[in-house]
Amino acid sequence: MTSPKINETQQVSPKNTMFIIGMMQIGVGLLSFQRIAALNSAQDAWFPVLLTGASTLIIMGVIFRLLENEKPYGTQELFSMHKRFFGTIVGNALNVVAIAYQFMVGLVFLRAYIEIINVWIFPKLSPLAFSFIFSVIIWYLVMGGFRAITGIFYLSFIYILPLNLVDFYLIGDSHLSNLLPMLEHMPYDYLQSFFKMIPCYLGFETILFYYPFLKRPKEAKQWAMFGLTLTTSVYVTLCILGTVYFSHGELMTQVWPIISFWKSIHFPLFDRFEYLGMILWIWALIPSFALGTWVVSRGIREITGYIKQKYALIFVFLLNILFCTIIHNRLQINLILHYLSYVGFGFLYIYIPFLFFWQWILKKKRRRKHV
Amino acid sequence: MLWFKKEKEKEKINTDTRKTDHPKNVRHLLNQLKRNPDFVHYKHVGGSFSCWISFFSSLINDESIHRDVLPFLYSDKIRSLDDIRKNVPIEKMIRTSDLKEIQTKLMVGFILIQIRENSNNALLIPSVLREGRQIEKSEVETSIIGAKEAFVEAIDTNISLIRKRIPIPQFTVEELRVGKISNTRVCLTYIDGIANEENINTARQRIKDLEIDHLIDTSALSQLISDNARSPFPVFIDTERPDRTTAGLYEGKIAVLVDGSPNALIIPTTLVEFFNAFDDYFVVWHFATAYRLLRLFAVAFSVLSSATYVAVLSFHYQLVPTDLLGALITSRSVVPFSPMVEALILEIMIELLREAGARLPTKVGQTMGIVGGIVIGTASVQAGLTSNVLLILVAMSALAAFTTPNYKMGTTIRFLRFPFIVAANIWGLLGITVCFTFFVCHLLRLTSLGRPFIEPIYPLRLIDLKDSFIRFPYSHQTERPMFLRPGDPSRFDYKRSKKRAGIQQNDIDE
């Protein structure tokens, strides 16, 4: 069922990698990361945030090598890679794990967003109703193919960027001395913050699935790196802003510090900016959710080989709606997020280097056979 | 089985009547046509030559037939049809014995000449009557500075209006016929070498593949060949201005003309072009840009303002600054309805006014405006049906919607408001955002002749951005839109144009 070559009319320009990666990483996590980052390393939180960002660059490099090395063997994506590396049965089992992970990420994103809306705007907004309407719209989008999804990434990038710039209104009320004393924490504290920041940066690994849809994929590498640098800079600046705007004790009481940021911004015709901010934040959710469902439905097609993607898509959305209604409270969301961050960490920092290593071994083996 | 038989019988009857409809020979055809009072059919008896002459007096040019055709038939030189052909000073005469051709040509204003009434052997002399409206000022897309000419209903006049502006042999006109009964002339015009081959082929194919009985207007054609017939957005621009059409052709677009329609269809187009008035090209680029941005703002305002009002007053009263709250409360306190009902009443009232104004003759229409705008507006506020804040918003958004230069797009924009108002009533601002997301997804998927519809925005193409929201000066628009994938992408050489203009980078006072 795997189509070896993607038609050029369905491919997108490599520049879009930047938008895709940037918007995949900016999600609901951004609203709450400042407290989590400062949990262990207080005023030095920006340092581990920067470190995690830098580490994503390295992982991205590995991913690109992995994908480029795959060129002579077939489709450059994770699903077929799994099948080639480990045989059909084990490979498909791993594929199932991969799509289950992607599915959970999308689901938790959606549910966490509904949670925010419930807490701040509509306490009685039914998760069923919202996830249903939302799924219908995303279904309509994903039916348009990867190009339409990329378009949403690009547009959401345009919509979300001003929201982040608005935070700089707060510089006037900040206390730069909060940053001092600099770098006085133990390496262990940094390490803990480093781990805790990983879930925020997750999402860029989806390039493993859409890589064949990029025109001139060699050029995509630099754009991907741009994207990663951009999100890292966004995270670092927001982290510093959080440190200088709140005192450490106050920051610890904020579940969504960014929303508190917006709360203190006033426009002459618009009193409570956080409402607009939160509602606009749906645009951070739409693209990642759309790409997530696209990956999952495509995965179902690749694994089974006979289910068409459009039918798999409906199934994925039904599952999403079901799980959205099953998850009841913040604690459950946090629990899932907690486990997901472990899986994500394992996937990116252990499994991908392992895959790269395995690919290298296979190459050696093959060469030996030829000799 | 009975119904089956009946069906069969019906079919038989149908085929029978159809047989009588289609003439089998010339005699049959002429007998059929003789029933019409404007059909002239008589025997001409001259000194050396006699023949049967038939034509539609309503379709032929009376003057030319009496001056150029009939006098020659009396001449001694003429003894056969071929002699007529040699002697009558009219070009493109057709000698044929094909019944179908005889029929179609008779119906467009040819004169049929036969030796014997029954013979299929005939000569067809063109003497087409070209009568129609004079070329007049454009009514819909008015222009303050630019050309005032507008297309008319006659397709040949329209082609001449374009050809006058493109005096090169590469300007190509392809004629197609659409409609099984109407057999309407549809002309596909483009500049060969600039227009993209693929675009031309797609357009031609779509028009050829149409399965339809009659075609009346370009707007019907634009709906028939559009990429997504279910979309509320028009994907092709129709314009009544030959200068705009020509500008499109020079960019590498294709213009489609339909006989009987005073519009040209410019394909393919992007969303942004619908908000560009052609006047933008006649003013300095600063102001053109300012007007374009104003129009885009107007569109956003028009779609979102009343919905935001509903959302804010129903759910998010916290958003309103305290100073404004007093004014809102006083204006709303007498209104017995929910904000959505209030907004819908006013919106529908405005739509009624517009529709009445459009259907009425101009002179009555003005009174309608006064009655609607002033009397109903103030009265409804005083009666406590609506709040005056909303009245201002709705009136302004109606005004804003009319800034859209394209009428069809303006209609779409006006009707987009209603789903937004309903969504705002369900989920407040969240509902508006969800509704907005849906339309953005729709626009992302929309194509115009297979090209992405929201093009300079996504896919992002900087060259095309130079003439979209902002209009760069002419000297910077060195390339044709990438969107069209033109055969020859560059308009002129930037460096050479600078050199010719004599702009040198001199120092001060040199």
Side-chain angles (χ1 to χ4, degrees):
Chain A
M1 201 65 191
T2 320
S3 45
K5 193 99 179 117
I6 305 297
N7 194 341
E8 208 197 325
T9 51
Q10 271 135 25
Q11 286 182 322
V12 297
S13 141
K15 278 174 206 141
N16 289 305
T17 329
M18 181 173 94
F19 306 122
I20 296 179
I21 283 173
M23 285 318 296
M24 273 313 276
Q25 288 186 308
I26 292 175
V28 180
L30 185 99
L31 296 179
S32 56
F33 85 99
Q34 285 155 318
R35 181 178 66 92
I36 294 161
L39 218 55
N40 295 87
S41 43
Q43 81 277 20
D44 294 332
W46 60 269
F47 183 61
V49 172
L50 186 67
L51 272 186
T52 321
S55 76
T56 56
L57 283 175
I58 298 167
I59 296 296
M60 200 62 182
V62 175
I63 290 177
F64 263 94
R65 284 294 290 277
L66 187 70
L67 289 165
E68 274 160 22
N69 287 347
E70 195 62 16
K71 200 173 184 184
Y73 307 111
T75 325
Q76 295 157 282
E77 53 158 357
L78 192 67
F79 296 130
S80 42
M81 229 189 271
H82 271 153
K83 282 187 205 166
R84 187 176 80 85
F85 289 175
F86 308 109
T88 320
I89 296 170
V90 182
N92 269 343
L94 288 170
N95 284 344
V96 169
V97 175
I99 63 169
Y101 168 67
Q102 288 296 332
F103 174 76
M104 286 313 279
V105 170
L107 175 73
V108 165
F109 252 46
L110 176 59
R111 193 61 189 81
Y113 183 75
I114 297 177
E115 175 73 16
I116 291 174
I117 296 287
N118 273 339
V119 170
W120 288 84
I121 307 176
F122 295 120
K124 288 195 175 150
L125 178 73
S126 132
L128 176 68
F130 184 77
S131 58
F132 176 73
I133 301 278
F134 190 74
S135 296
V136 168
I137 291 173
I138 302 296
W139 169 81
Y140 183 65
L141 174 72
V142 178
M143 286 299 280
F146 188 69
R147 272 198 164 188
I149 297 176
T150 320
I152 277 287
F153 269 103
Y154 167 68
L155 288 179
S156 69
F157 187 84
I158 294 175
Y159 294 141
I160 294 292
L161 200 65
L163 259 186
N164 289 326
L165 295 179
V166 156
D167 297 335
F168 287 93
Y169 267 84
L170 302 173
I171 285 182
D173 299 331
S174 59
H175 310 276
L176 283 174
S177 56
N178 278 4
L179 281 171
L180 299 174
M182 259 188 202
L183 299 177
E184 54 132 29
H185 282 78
M186 289 281 123
Y188 181 69
D189 297 328
Y190 292 140
L191 205 63
Q192 269 191 319
S193 295
F194 176 87
F195 279 122
K196 280 178 181 155
M197 271 310 290
I198 285 171
C200 292
Y201 280 103
L202 285 183
F204 65 91
E205 76 280 1
T206 38
I207 196 167
L208 282 165
F209 305 105
Y210 62 77
Y211 187 78
F213 284 82
L214 301 173
K215 275 179 209 165
R216 305 184 296 281
K218 284 243 162 87
E219 276 176 44
K221 191 171 180 177
Q222 59 169 2
W223 291 106
M225 295 302 179
F226 274 147
L228 288 173
T229 324
L230 192 83
T231 29
T232 309
S233 65
V234 167
Y235 273 110
V236 171
T237 43
L238 285 182
C239 187
I240 293 175
L241 259 183
T243 319
V244 296
Y245 186 71
F246 299 110
S247 69
H248 181 62
E250 200 188 351
L251 187 59
M252 286 303 109
T253 61
Q254 303 282 346
V255 183
W256 296 287
I258 299 279
I259 298 184
S260 306
F261 271 5
W262 294 336
K263 213 174 162 179
S264 43
I265 298 168
H266 297 279
F267 291 109
L269 257 174
F270 215 88
D271 220 32
R272 302 274 294 266
F273 182 72
E274 80 269 23
Y275 278 75
L276 192 69
M278 259 179 290
I279 280 162
L280 267 182
W281 206 253
I282 200 178
W283 273 93
L285 169 69
I286 291 162
S288 2
F289 190 70
L291 187 62
T293 44
W294 180 83
V295 165
V296 175
S297 54
R298 196 176 159 76
I300 291 175
R301 189 185 82 170
E302 296 290 319
I303 291 166
T304 58
Y306 55 86
I307 298 179
K308 277 189 178 169
Q309 193 174 356
K310 51 181 174 183
Y311 302 130
L313 194 63
I314 295 171
F315 172 69
V316 173
F317 281 123
L318 286 180
L319 267 190
N320 258 314
I321 297 168
L322 181 72
F323 277 102
C324 258
T325 27
I326 286 176
I327 300 172
H328 273 299
N329 51 34
R330 176 88 202 152
L331 288 178
Q332 286 170 330
I333 298 172
N334 274 347
L335 195 72
I336 299 174
L337 268 177
H338 184 70
Y339 284 119
L340 270 186
S341 61
Y342 275 111
V343 178
F345 169 75
F347 183 67
L348 276 182
Y349 289 80
I350 299 170
Y351 186 60
I352 282 176
F354 164 74
L355 269 187
F356 189 56
F357 178 65
W358 191 261
Q359 190 186 43
W360 180 73
I361 287 181
L362 280 184
K363 202 174 161 191
K364 282 271 142 125
K365 240 183 177 176
R366 182 179 260 231
R367 199 175 286 164
R368 200 168 294 161
K369 243 185 209 169
H370 276 287
V371 172
Chain B
M1 286 311 278
L2 212 63
W3 62 268
F4 185 71
K5 258 187 190 168
K6 268 187 184 168
E7 285 285 298
K8 270 211 155 174
E9 268 167 32
K10 250 188 206 167
E11 222 165 71
K12 229 181 203 175
I13 293 167
N14 271 342
T15 45
D16 282 354
T17 48
R18 205 171 285 158
K19 263 176 198 163
T20 57
D21 280 340
H22 279 289
K24 277 173 292 205
N25 52 37
V26 176
R27 186 189 174 77
H28 195 170
L29 172 72
L30 292 175
N31 277 338
Q32 210 176 13
L33 294 178
K34 267 184 213 164
R35 279 180 269 169
N36 299 308
D38 60 340
F39 187 66
V40 181
H41 177 66
Y42 67 97
K43 188 165 188 185
H44 158 83
V45 185
S48 55
F49 180 71
S50 57
C51 62
W52 282 87
I53 298 173
S54 22
F55 54 83
F56 274 99
S57 59
S58 54
L59 292 177
I60 55 109
N61 191 339
D62 228 22
E63 197 183 312
S64 112
I65 183 178
H66 287 122
R67 191 184 58 218
D68 304 330
V69 183
L70 297 181
F72 286 89
L73 296 183
Y74 291 94
S75 144
D76 284 344
K77 283 184 206 160
I78 285 174
R79 289 171 198 288
S80 69
L81 289 180
D82 282 326
D83 290 339
I84 303 178
R85 213 174 169 185
K86 276 177 207 151
N87 290 303
V88 175
I90 286 181
E91 73 288 349
K92 280 191 182 169
M93 281 185 275
I94 300 167
R95 189 71 202 274
T96 182
S97 56
D98 180 15
L99 183 65
K100 212 174 173 189
E101 192 172 10
I102 293 174
Q103 186 187 336
T104 49
K105 292 298 178 199
L106 259 181
M107 302 312 286
V108 295
F110 278 55
I111 303 161
L112 173 72
I113 295 178
Q114 299 156 287
I115 304 274
R116 285 185 315 277
E117 199 181 359
N118 295 345
S119 109
N120 269 13
N121 201 357
L123 181 72
L124 291 160
I125 304 173
S127 167
V128 185
L129 179 69
R130 291 223 175 91
E131 213 165 68
R133 199 153 58 93
Q134 286 287 310
I135 297 172
E136 279 164 16
K137 269 189 172 184
S138 52
E139 291 275 324
V140 184
E141 297 165 69
T142 46
S143 161
I144 299 164
I145 306 166
K148 307 285 190 290
E149 274 180 334
F151 284 131
V152 292
E153 281 77 7
I155 194 167
D156 295 304
T157 319
N158 293 348
I159 291 173
S160 84
L161 281 176
I162 302 176
R163 203 180 273 285
K164 266 192 285 182
R165 292 174 164 84
I166 311 179
I168 46 168
Q170 281 87 343
F171 174 63
T172 318
V173 178
E174 271 180 40
E175 190 175 299
L176 305 162
R177 295 277 178 168
V178 177
K180 278 193 285 192
I181 301 176
S182 70
N183 218 9
T184 315
R185 278 173 76 193
V186 173
C187 284
L188 199 67
T189 62
Y190 53 87
I191 300 180
D192 202 20
I194 295 180
N196 179 285
E197 202 70 33
E198 205 184 315
N199 283 351
I200 301 168
N201 289 338
T202 319
R204 189 190 298 127
Q205 199 58 41
R206 281 198 194 168
I207 296 172
K208 267 188 184 168
D209 287 350
L210 282 181
E211 176 75 13
I212 191 177
D213 62 338
H214 71 288
L215 182 70
I216 298 289
D217 196 74
T218 40
S219 19
L221 186 72
S222 93
Q223 287 169 46
L224 286 166
I225 63 170
S226 84
D227 295 52
N228 184 352
R230 277 167 290 177
S231 171
F233 293 92
V235 288
F236 305 127
I237 286 185
D238 45 355
T239 177
E240 56 164 5
R241 301 186 51 154
D243 50 348
R244 186 170 193 179
T245 314
T246 317
L249 289 172
Y250 275 126
E251 277 185 340
K253 288 182 181 131
I254 304 164
V256 183
L257 301 162
V258 176
D259 198 13
S261 162
N263 281 318
L265 205 63
I266 304 178
I267 55 179
T269 39
T270 62
L271 179 68
V272 185
E273 278 173 66
F274 279 93
F275 303 107
N276 296 353
F278 199 62
D279 261 20
D280 292 348
Y281 294 97
F282 304 145
V283 289
V284 196
W285 63 273
H286 320 79
F287 306 127
T289 307
Y291 288 139
R292 281 186 179 180
L293 292 178
L294 179 76
R295 256 180 245 129
L296 281 171
F297 168 76
V299 168
F301 182 83
S302 164
V303 172
L304 296 175
S305 64
S306 41
T308 315
Y309 174 87
V310 172
V312 169
L313 287 200
S314 309
F315 298 102
H316 316 287
Y317 41 84
Q318 307 96 320
L319 295 183
V320 186
T322 353
D323 306 336
L324 194 66
L325 209 56
L328 269 180
I329 290 169
T330 37
S331 78
R332 272 282 294 162
S333 56
V334 285
V335 181
F337 308 117
S338 73
M340 181 177 87
V341 176
E342 192 192 349
L344 281 183
I345 289 176
L346 261 186
E347 290 287 1
I348 290 172
M349 210 138 82
I350 292 261
E351 279 305 308
L352 276 178
L353 269 177
R354 187 202 56 78
E355 186 62 19
R359 301 288 151 246
L360 280 170
T362 351
K363 282 172 191 164
V364 195
Q366 284 172 357
T367 355
M368 276 305 301
I370 297 164
V371 170
I374 300 167
V375 179
I376 299 183
T378 39
S380 64
V381 171
Q382 278 166 0
L385 286 176
T386 52
S387 67
N388 39 23
V389 176
L390 182 66
L391 184 72
I392 296 167
L393 277 181
V394 169
M396 264 176 70
S397 66
L399 205 64
F402 288 117
T403 58
T404 313
N406 187 285
Y407 179 74
K408 279 187 193 161
M409 192 46 109
T411 316
T412 308
I413 295 295
R414 276 200 315 278
F415 274 89
L416 278 190
R417 260 181 244 164
F418 293 98
F420 273 97
I421 291 175
V422 174
N425 193 49
I426 299 171
W427 282 343
L429 284 180
L430 185 67
I432 295 180
T433 319
V434 167
C435 196
F436 178 71
T437 309
F438 173 74
F439 282 111
V440 168
C441 292
H442 175 69
L443 284 176
L444 265 176
R445 288 186 58 176
L446 209 56
T447 51
S448 171
L449 211 70
R451 308 277 172 201
F453 188 51
I454 55 167
E455 188 259 345
I457 315 166
Y458 175 80
L460 181 66
R461 281 174 195 152
L462 295 177
I463 292 172
D464 295 8
L465 266 182
K466 282 184 188 173
D467 186 15
S468 55
F469 303 110
I470 38 176
R471 185 175 84 70
F472 270 53
Y474 283 119
S475 57
H476 286 259
Q477 304 216 13
T478 53
E479 271 163 86
R480 300 203 168 86
M482 228 167 123
F483 162 69
L484 302 162
R485 306 263 168 213
D488 177 17
S490 77
R491 288 189 222 244
F492 55 85
D493 192 332
Y494 182 67
K495 278 183 192 159
R496 209 186 303 148
S497 76
K498 280 266 168 190
K499 213 197 271 171
R500 285 214 186 151
I503 299 166
Q504 283 154 359
Q505 301 295 323
N506 282 345
D507 201 11
I508 305 168
D509 293 342
E510 260 182 18

